[in-house]
Amino acid sequence: MKRILPVIFFLLLTGISIKPSFAQTNDPVMIQVADESITQGEFLRVYQKNNTKGEALERQALEEYLELYINFRLKVKEAMSLGMDTIKSFRDELSSYRRQLAQPYLIDDKSIEALVQEAYNRKLYDIRASHILLKVDRMASAADTLAAWNKIMELRKRIMKGEDFGKLAMEASEDPSAKDRMSEGRNVKGNHGDLGYFTAFDMVYPFENAAYKCKIGEVTQPVRTDYGYHLIKVTDKLPAMGKVQIAHIMMVFPKKASVDDSLKVADSANMAYKLLQSGTEFATVVKQFTDDKSTADKGGLLPWFGVNRMLPEFIQAISKLRKNGDFTEPFQTDYGWHILKLNDRKPIPGFDEDKDELKTKVNKNDRVVQSQDAFVKQVRNEYGFREDLTAMRELKTVVTDSIFNASWTSREAGALTKTIFTIGTKNVTQTDFAEFLAKNQKKGPKHDIAAYIETQYTDFVDESIIKYADNQLENKYPDFKALMTEYHDGILLFDLTDKKVWTKAVKDTIGLQSFYEETKKNYMWDQRLEASIFTIKDMSAVKLLKKMTKKGLPDDVILAAINKDTIQKVTVERKKFIRGENAIIDSLDWKPSITGPFTTSSGKNVLTVIHRVVSPEPKLLSEARGLITADYQNYLEKEWIAELRSKYPVKVNKDVFNAIFIK
């Protein structure tokens, strides 16, 4: 929205409301500007919304505002007559504003607020969970989806009968991290499905939703995400850690460590712990014992991290630390032995403090689909949604595998023209859906055609319903319609005023010069004193300075004679001073003279030469260009308004205006 601020700023300057306004029925017409009628009620609402102090209506204020409002309408009328509302750049800019303004109307506010509250409630706890994943594509065939479902249900039955979740994850999960594997030439132990700790927004929403609703030790029913089917087992739930800054001592197991090697590392960890208990500084123990060279010189300090950024053993250990400076007992992970010290903590903020950020996250997160679904359902019910799935599925006969190579064309569905669904007064046809398929096709792996079309159809319906609701906003919401009208008029006003006044005043140098010549007596200097103030940095130069100033030599000649070898012994400021501009000048008698050297209150040594007293005179254009340009803009504005008033008829019904003040 590149010019939203200039447009609003201009409307405020002219006193024209950018808030919604619309006329009531049986409201008498008060103003006629060319072919546009403005009612008394409409005018008053615009005025009162700008009358932010809420004062009672006063005739003089209202009469002044009436003139401003008429000028505003005249400028918009002129822009329209010039066809400025048909220019592509204008239409694109207005469309951009509309997209932004429409967004709040195209969501389900209640569901968004519920999602924000839900997210905050979940952020108060950290969950640890394990999962088993069976991959199944979002657009998999019905047969493949059913096979994956049957397989995941069979695994769940085995768990319910007592088989170990972790062992089954090692055996059957298609999440590679579950199994032992080689990575970068080294053996990496599988996590047996353990995902560690996480909180709201760390996982895709369906996964998070199921996990937070599951009790510790329970296993969920199969959960479908874009990755496939999951079984989730919650293994722990802790009060939220928030963000922490930790210092650590890490003693790493050697590669291919023997039992003795591991015991030696454990012994080192215990020695380090005893030193800490005896009062030895943590940083000192870090330097002696840690194997993490990147933090050894920083007292072991790690960057700030949240619950999902660290090993679960770390989170469990940190949960036992109560205050800054507390440190853990040694504990073991697959990497070695560790001791942690809590350096600082940022707890979860309160809801009021956090809700704006949470709302932003919700709107960017996959959970916003819940709100979109609620809105789509609401629009379906409001406008009446009817569909013919048989007509939709006929496209399966003409869509080929070429769509997965992004080479399918809607021409192949040219014979299919039936209505697929109706929303409100709009019929959406097979042709519309075929064009949607062609527009949204992408190169990628092949899918089952039927499943692909079903999935795309769901997206197409949602998009079509939201678009229909968008197109109804002006009809449904008078405030939105009025706001769009005001943006429409505001952009036109800005563009035309810029062309006729603002930019013209800057670029029309001949016109500006002519205006200056006619009005330059309005830009006068007061009496001024032309003087030179010499600042002496080396007192050895005083004698020569006094001698040369008495001879009346030019300042540059004096400086050249004194400042030899680029050494600045003396500097000078020469200009025409006004009273109040310079304390030194104000302290002198305003008549030609040489004064000094003397020391100022700031400790500088100066010598002054008053050359002449300058009588009041007009400022040069270069000396007051900003002020003169602003006055020239006002002049152009008045001339333009006079031209518009002679071009377009304006009529004010005085009786209707006067009726405003009748109690």
Side-chain angles (χ1 to χ4, degrees):
M1 301 177 76
K2 62 181 180 179
R3 290 194 299 172
I4 184 69
L5 290 178
V7 170
I8 290 176
F9 181 63
F10 184 78
L11 293 177
L12 290 174
L13 282 179
T14 56
I16 305 303
S17 172
I18 61 168
K19 296 179 180 179
S21 60
F22 52 96
Q24 296 175 345
T25 57
N26 303 320
D27 194 7
V29 172
M30 192 179 87
I31 310 165
Q32 191 77 33
V33 178
D35 57 356
E36 181 186 12
S37 300
I38 298 115
T39 68
Q40 182 198 72
E42 182 176 1
F43 171 75
L44 281 176
R45 276 187 293 277
V46 172
Y47 173 77
Q48 287 168 338
K49 286 173 183 175
N50 284 281
N51 182 23
T52 54
K53 295 181 181 178
E55 296 105 344
L57 294 176
E58 295 182 1
R59 180 177 289 274
Q60 182 179 349
L62 212 59
E63 286 176 344
E64 291 173 354
Y65 189 81
L66 175 62
E67 294 305 307
L68 287 172
Y69 186 75
I70 290 171
N71 293 344
F72 169 70
R73 298 315 313 167
L74 283 167
K75 293 173 185 177
V76 173
K77 175 64 180 175
E78 177 71 353
M80 296 281 285
S81 69
L82 294 172
M84 293 178 67
D85 59 327
T86 64
I87 298 171
K88 184 178 183 300
S89 59
F90 166 82
R91 289 159 57 194
D92 289 347
E93 187 171 359
L94 186 62
S95 294
S96 176
Y97 291 154
R98 190 188 185 283
R99 282 192 298 273
Q100 296 290 330
L101 295 170
Q103 286 179 3
Y105 293 86
L106 300 175
I107 61 172
D108 181 64
D109 287 329
K110 289 183 179 179
S111 62
I112 289 290
E113 293 304 319
L115 287 167
V116 169
Q117 186 66 61
E118 176 189 76
Y120 180 77
N121 293 342
R122 290 178 178 177
K123 280 187 68 177
L124 298 177
Y125 295 95
D126 300 329
I127 282 181
R128 183 177 184 180
S130 298
H131 81 137
I132 296 172
L133 168 66
L134 292 186
K135 293 181 180 179
V136 56
D137 193 271
R138 179 170 175 256
M139 290 178 284
S141 67
D144 288 344
T145 301
L146 180 59
W149 170 266
N150 289 334
K151 186 175 179 181
I152 200 84
M153 284 301 292
E154 183 59 34
L155 290 171
R156 189 175 189 279
K157 287 178 184 177
R158 291 171 61 182
I159 294 167
M160 293 298 100
K161 289 179 180 179
E163 289 196 48
D164 182 73
F165 192 98
K167 287 183 179 179
L168 275 182
M170 286 276 287
E171 173 191 322
S173 181
E174 293 176 357
D175 179 349
S177 68
K179 299 176 176 63
D180 295 345
R181 61 201 182 279
M182 290 290 294
S183 176
E184 299 179 356
R186 60 187 291 266
N187 288 318
V188 178
K189 285 186 66 176
N191 60 21
H192 294 209
D194 185 5
L195 298 172
Y197 287 88
F198 57 88
T199 189
F201 300 107
D202 288 339
M203 300 293 186
V204 293
Y205 184 63
F207 190 100
E208 174 198 309
N209 217 20
Y212 269 90
K213 291 178 180 179
C214 185
K215 295 179 181 178
I216 295 175
E218 288 185 348
V219 177
T220 66
Q221 293 290 336
V223 177
R224 183 72 185 268
T225 72
D226 285 345
Y227 300 100
Y229 282 116
H230 308 256
L231 293 177
I232 305 170
K233 181 179 181 180
V234 174
T235 57
D236 198 11
K237 185 176 183 180
L238 296 171
M241 181 184 77
K243 295 287 182 67
V244 293
Q245 189 180 51
I246 295 294
H248 79 136
I249 302 169
M250 181 172 70
M251 289 143 283
V252 179
F253 291 135
K255 289 183 179 180
K256 299 179 181 180
S258 65
V259 174
D260 287 342
D261 292 333
S262 299
L263 289 173
K264 288 179 182 178
V265 175
D267 289 341
S268 294
N270 287 323
M271 288 174 60
Y273 182 62
K274 287 179 181 178
L275 285 173
L276 293 172
Q277 286 183 308
S278 69
T280 306
E281 286 289 336
F282 196 88
T284 302
V285 180
V286 167
K287 286 186 177 181
Q288 183 176 348
F289 286 93
T290 193
D291 290 324
D292 181 3
K293 303 306 179 188
S294 65
T295 63
D297 293 332
K298 304 173 186 175
L301 199 63
L302 294 168
W304 286 89
F305 61 84
V307 71
N308 68 328
R309 304 291 294 177
M310 199 56 71
L311 296 170
E313 293 89 348
F314 272 53
I315 307 305
Q316 289 177 327
I318 292 168
S319 70
K320 299 172 185 176
L321 301 178
R322 294 290 173 261
K323 61 182 186 297
N324 294 348
D326 286 356
F327 52 86
T328 68
E329 296 180 0
F331 62 93
Q332 184 180 345
T333 69
D334 290 341
Y335 299 94
W337 283 84
H338 313 262
I339 300 174
L340 308 181
K341 184 189 80 167
L342 180 61
N343 190 64
D344 201 359
R345 186 194 298 270
K346 295 176 183 177
I348 303 298
F351 178 73
D352 289 340
E353 183 182 349
D354 205 23
K355 65 180 179 181
D356 289 341
E357 183 178 346
L358 285 174
K359 190 169 186 178
T360 299
K361 286 185 175 181
V362 164
N363 282 312
K364 292 181 178 180
N365 186 257
D366 59 343
R367 69 189 68 211
V368 79
V369 171
Q370 308 293 312
S371 177
Q372 291 171 348
D373 288 347
F375 178 74
V376 167
K377 183 178 180 181
Q378 176 185 318
V379 176
R380 281 177 179 243
N381 294 334
E382 181 178 359
Y383 293 103
F385 176 80
R386 303 179 303 279
E387 64 183 339
D388 182 353
L389 293 177
T390 302
M392 180 273 290
R393 288 168 182 149
E394 286 180 5
L395 269 82
K396 297 175 186 178
T397 62
V398 295
V399 177
T400 64
D401 285 349
S402 62
I403 201 165
F404 303 122
N405 194 36
S407 58
W408 185 80
T409 67
S410 59
R411 292 191 300 272
E412 297 181 45
L416 301 178
T417 58
K418 294 178 184 176
T419 295
I420 298 178
F421 63 84
T422 300
I423 177 72
T425 59
K426 183 174 180 58
N427 294 323
V428 180
T429 66
Q430 292 169 320
T431 302
D432 297 324
F433 185 34
E435 290 174 353
F436 175 86
L437 289 172
K439 180 182 176 181
N440 291 279
Q441 61 184 329
K442 296 177 182 178
K443 290 184 178 180
K446 291 183 179 180
H447 300 283
D448 177 77
I449 291 288
Y452 176 79
I453 290 178
E454 295 277 355
T455 301
Q456 292 294 99
Y457 176 70
T458 299
D459 293 342
F460 175 61
V461 169
D462 289 353
E463 182 179 301
S464 300
I465 288 175
I466 292 172
K467 185 176 181 181
Y468 184 81
D470 189 1
N471 291 335
Q472 301 306 308
L473 292 179
E474 280 82 356
N475 298 327
K476 185 176 180 181
Y477 299 104
D479 59 339
F480 180 82
K481 180 179 180 179
L483 188 57
M484 283 307 304
T485 298
E486 289 170 359
Y487 269 79
H488 170 278
D489 294 350
I491 299 169
L492 289 176
L493 180 66
F494 184 97
D495 288 343
L496 188 56
T497 306
D498 184 51
K499 179 180 178 181
K500 299 286 288 186
V501 177
W502 300 330
T503 299
K504 181 178 180 180
V506 174
K507 292 185 176 180
D508 182 14
T509 54
I510 295 175
L512 182 64
Q513 183 67 45
S514 176
F515 176 78
Y516 165 72
E517 294 297 336
E518 293 177 7
T519 61
K520 60 184 178 182
K521 289 186 178 180
N522 295 333
Y523 313 102
M524 297 290 291
W525 286 113
D526 291 332
Q527 187 183 62
R528 292 179 294 168
L529 195 66
E530 185 174 356
S532 297
I533 302 175
F534 291 92
T535 299
I536 306 164
K537 298 182 178 180
D538 186 338
M539 295 302 290
S540 67
V542 169
K543 186 175 181 180
L544 180 58
L545 175 62
K546 293 178 69 174
K547 180 179 179 182
M548 298 185 78
T549 53
K550 285 179 180 178
K551 289 182 178 181
L553 295 175
D555 293 347
D556 57 345
V557 172
I558 295 173
L559 293 181
I562 295 176
N563 295 330
K564 294 181 179 180
D565 301 324
T566 69
I567 298 174
Q568 293 286 310
K569 294 182 179 180
V570 175
T571 59
V572 69
E573 178 187 12
R574 177 170 180 162
K575 61 181 289 189
K576 296 172 183 177
F577 295 91
I578 61 174
R579 290 190 185 277
E581 180 181 2
N582 185 284
I584 296 172
I585 296 299
D586 289 348
S587 68
L588 303 173
D589 290 333
W590 278 39
K591 59 185 179 181
S593 60
I594 298 174
T595 305
F598 60 90
T599 303
T600 68
S601 59
S602 62
K604 293 181 180 179
N605 295 307
V606 299
L607 180 145
T608 61
V609 179
I610 297 177
H611 303 290
R612 66 188 180 105
V613 177
V614 183
S615 299
E617 61 181 355
K619 295 178 181 179
L620 299 175
L621 176 58
S622 59
E623 293 174 325
R625 180 174 293 274
L627 180 60
I628 296 167
T629 300
D631 288 345
Y632 184 45
Q633 288 174 341
N634 291 335
Y635 167 78
L636 292 174
E637 173 93 6
K638 291 177 182 177
E639 292 289 305
W640 182 33
I641 292 297
E643 177 188 333
L644 293 176
R645 291 210 175 219
S646 65
K647 182 176 181 179
Y648 298 108
V650 175
K651 183 179 179 181
V652 178
N653 189 320
K654 293 295 185 181
D655 290 337
V656 176
F657 179 77
N658 290 333
I660 294 172
F661 305 99
I662 299 174
K663 294 183 179 179

